[in-house]
Amino acid sequence: MSKKIFAANWKLNKTPEEARDFVIKLKNEIFKIPDFFSGREIMIFPSAISLEAVSSLCAGTDIQFGPQNIYSEKSGAFTGENSAEVAKALKSQIALVGHSERREIFKEQDDHLNKKVALLQNLQILPVFCIGETLAQREAGKTLEICFSQLQNGLKEINKDQRLIVAYEPVWAIGTGKVATKEQVAEVHAKLSEYLSSQGFRNVQLLYGGSVKPDNAGELLKIPHVDGFLIGGASLQPDSFLKICTAV
Ligand code: 13P
């Protein structure tokens, strides 16, 4: 059985000092749990400014880390962007791509996201590619159509044999406390899994994200094709993040 994945997306939160404090506390607690990493993968996405702080404490451990966004070019005149090459130099193993906040607020489009995923693959950084529908799209019965189209267009030119993580995050469940029902998660994850294998993807894990908390994690993890979570608010404190990680 593959490991369950628990990924913390801190968004625009935590100073480098707070980030270090979180990692120190997390490592202390993990240390007390025998074989913690044998069934789990732990991932942290700090803000870019705190990436080096997290790297300094996680590099060489089993805790993976990486940026919440990268630019599609490695370097050059792109003021304000994050370089995947620099993330790699900081020993990042992972990177988020296409979070709904990037798509909505920063108007990121599928064809650009596709370039980002391809660049990450070139650098041997594991992309965690986010998809999900808005409330209006769900109510219009377009959930699967939207998710499939985000996959098709955002992953057009990538190597399907390389490992990939897809995070399904219904936009209406993010930061709202409104978690998708078990039936909704089960339906979408089953269809995503079917779709991805029909498209030739051979090594994909599927995460659910959207108001995951310690008290709903256990039930959500039992759903077939849920390989783990991408967690926002509840990942900001080591104790609630760890409670989710140990819900398995
Ligand atoms: P919340 O867990 O705060 O709903 O955020 C989910 C998310 O956007 C993770 O990427």
Side-chain angles (χ1 to χ4, degrees), residues 125-142:
I125 296 176
L126 172 63
V128 179
F129 184 71
C130 304
I131 59 168
E133 82 287 3
T134 62
L135 187 58
Q137 289 163 338
R138 175 162 279 271
E139 286 174 350
K142 292 191 168 159

Side-chain angles (χ1 to χ4, degrees), residues 86-202:
V86 172
K88 181 81 184 177
L90 287 174
K91 306 210 166 18
S92 298
Q93 309 92 334
I94 51 175
L96 274 187
V97 180
H99 190 280
S100 65
E101 287 147 19
R102 302 289 322 165
R103 292 176 188 264
E104 276 194 14
I105 305 168
F106 302 101
K107 309 294 171 216
E108 295 200 354
Q109 304 292 323
D110 287 331
D111 54 346
H112 193 204
L113 299 178
N114 182 59
K115 293 197 177 104
K116 295 183 182 202
V117 176
L119 173 62
L120 289 170
Q121 284 197 324
N122 270 332
L123 291 169
Q124 303 292 322
I125 296 176
L126 172 63
V128 179
F129 184 71
C130 304
I131 59 168
E133 82 287 3
T134 62
L135 187 58
Q137 289 163 338
R138 175 162 279 271
E139 286 174 350
K142 292 191 168 159
T143 298
L144 294 174
E145 187 187 319
I146 294 295
C147 291
F148 292 170
S149 128
Q150 288 172 339
L151 290 175
Q152 187 177 18
N153 298 319
L155 302 175
K156 220 184 295 183
E157 288 150 25
I158 77 150
N159 179 342
K160 293 177 177 175
D161 294 323
Q162 249 175 271
R163 187 181 177 201
L164 174 73
I165 295 180
V166 171
Y168 168 59
E169 300 202 301
V171 178
W172 47 272
I174 294 178
T176 58
K178 213 191 236 181
V179 65
T181 65
K182 278 187 272 176
E183 292 72 25
Q184 287 169 327
V185 177
E187 188 205 358
V188 177
H189 277 243
K191 298 280 189 208
L192 289 176
S193 166
E194 204 178 285
Y195 177 82
L196 286 162
S197 46
S198 77
Q199 299 300 304
F201 288 91
R202 274 172 267 285

Side-chain angles (χ1 to χ4, degrees), residues 7-11 45 96 99-101 130 167 169-179 208-213 229-236 244:
N9 175 10
W10 289 347
K11 307 191 180 184
F45 296 103
L96 274 187
H99 190 280
S100 65
E101 287 147 19
C130 304
E169 300 202 301
V171 178
W172 47 272
I174 294 178
T176 58
K178 213 191 236 181
V179 65
Y208 169 77
S211 298
V212 175
K213 307 280 178 231
F229 301 127
L230 183 55
I231 309 146
S235 75
L236 290 172
I244 295 173

